[in-house]
Amino acid sequence: MRIAVDSHTHTISSGHAYSTIQEIAREAAERGIEMVAITDHGPSMIGAPCAVHFGNLRVVPGEIYGVRILKGIDANIIKYDGTIDLEDKYLKRLEFVMASLHDLCIKPGDVKENTEAMVNAIKNPLVDAIAHPGNPQFQIDIDEVVNAAKEYGKMLEINNHSFKARTGSEKNCLEIAIKCKEKGVKVVCGSDAHISFDVGNFDRVMELLEKVNMPEELILNTSKEKFLNYLASRK
């Protein structure tokens, strides 16, 4: 199985990442990645860009070095009611919207609170996917989150960076993958690259997907067309 799309990358605009869009696109082209989503952190993250940054992403070419550039965001869930940190008028201009929980933007709650926050974000019609739902800082009711993703036609991410940066993610990610397979929920594979050299790095993700024998039809990153068609069907 080949991963052709990296659906989670960060540029210098995130404040704690170290490459430009051009550098990410160049690395993607060299690695045979057909499409990358530029998903910088939403405004409530320390050092992240303001809302206008996301509103102006339309000036970025749709293709750089032969790589399709998907204009997106890793929006922060900032309340347990699922509120995220970018207004709808800007979200509507983006091609791919992920939402996620970060301890710099919201205090980790108990399982009920974390689950409520994630499920409510899933219900937001402008949110396409949940990033790193296996983060052990925010323990969730995995069954409830996977059921919500199925009901609302959303994607759950298996995040390669989590295996290094979020100690203890392996168990949660494995259970999420198993449940997604059981319930037919689509998954996305993100490098969560914070420097261009990590673009297209899915080593740990691939190990996990092979371990659970995840059907290829549930993995949206295997082709640019599959990913874009799924987003179009949601819109």
Side-chain angles (χ1 to χ4, degrees), residues 141-171:
D141 183 322
I142 290 175
D143 276 307
E144 190 172 340
V145 168
V146 172
N147 286 337
K150 181 175 179 64
E151 180 179 354
Y152 290 92
K154 304 301 177 71
M155 302 173 277
L156 298 179
E157 182 191 54
I158 307 297
N159 182 294
N160 205 76
H161 185 61
S162 287
F163 296 102
K164 295 182 293 183
R166 302 178 183 95
T167 304
S169 292
E170 294 88 345
K171 180 178 181 294

Side-chain angles (χ1 to χ4, degrees), residues 151-198:
E151 180 179 354
Y152 290 92
K154 304 301 177 71
M155 302 173 277
L156 298 179
E157 182 191 54
I158 307 297
N159 182 294
N160 205 76
H161 185 61
S162 287
F163 296 102
K164 295 182 293 183
R166 302 178 183 95
T167 304
S169 292
E170 294 88 345
K171 180 178 181 294
N172 289 342
C173 291
L174 179 61
E175 187 174 347
I176 288 168
I178 290 171
K179 295 293 184 182
C180 285
K181 178 183 175 182
E182 287 178 359
K183 298 177 184 295
V185 171
K186 307 285 187 183
V187 298
V188 288
C189 309
S191 68
D192 200 354
H194 284 65
I195 192 166
S196 61
F197 304 117
D198 278 334

Side-chain angles (χ1 to χ4, degrees), residues 7-131:
S7 53
H8 191 159
T9 68
H10 294 277
T11 76
I12 54 173
S13 294
S14 281
H16 58 276
Y18 304 96
S19 300
T20 65
I21 294 176
Q22 292 96 316
E23 288 166 339
I24 286 173
R26 184 182 297 114
E27 191 72 23
E30 291 177 358
R31 294 188 176 206
I33 298 295
E34 299 173 0
M35 181 167 73
V36 293
I38 303 299
T39 51
D40 284 309
H41 288 288
S44 66
M45 176 64 72
I46 297 170
C50 68
V52 174
H53 170 91
F54 297 97
N56 197 43
L57 279 175
R58 53 187 154 190
V59 305
V60 176
E63 185 173 295
I64 302 175
Y65 304 126
V67 176
R68 172 73 161 84
I69 305 299
L70 201 63
K71 298 156 192 178
I73 186 174
D74 181 3
N76 301 290
I77 302 171
I78 54 175
K79 294 182 181 179
Y80 297 127
D81 66 3
T83 299
I84 59 176
D85 61 345
L86 193 66
E87 296 174 66
D88 287 0
K89 68 178 181 179
Y90 295 118
L91 292 174
K92 289 175 181 177
R93 298 182 188 182
L94 300 176
E95 296 173 284
F96 181 54
V97 176
M98 294 193 300
S100 61
L101 291 161
H102 293 95
D103 63 339
L104 291 173
C105 302
I106 185 172
K107 181 180 177 181
D110 58 27
V111 170
K112 183 177 183 298
E113 290 171 325
N114 298 335
T115 302
E116 180 182 5
M118 203 170 285
V119 167
N120 284 330
I122 286 171
K123 291 178 180 180
N124 184 333
L126 298 177
V127 170
D128 299 302
I130 298 296

Side-chain angles (χ1 to χ4, degrees), residues 204-216:
R204 299 296 297 275
V205 168
M206 292 298 290
E207 287 178 15
L208 185 145
L209 295 177
E210 289 170 5
K211 186 173 185 178
V212 303
N213 195 25
M214 182 69 77
E216 189 169 332

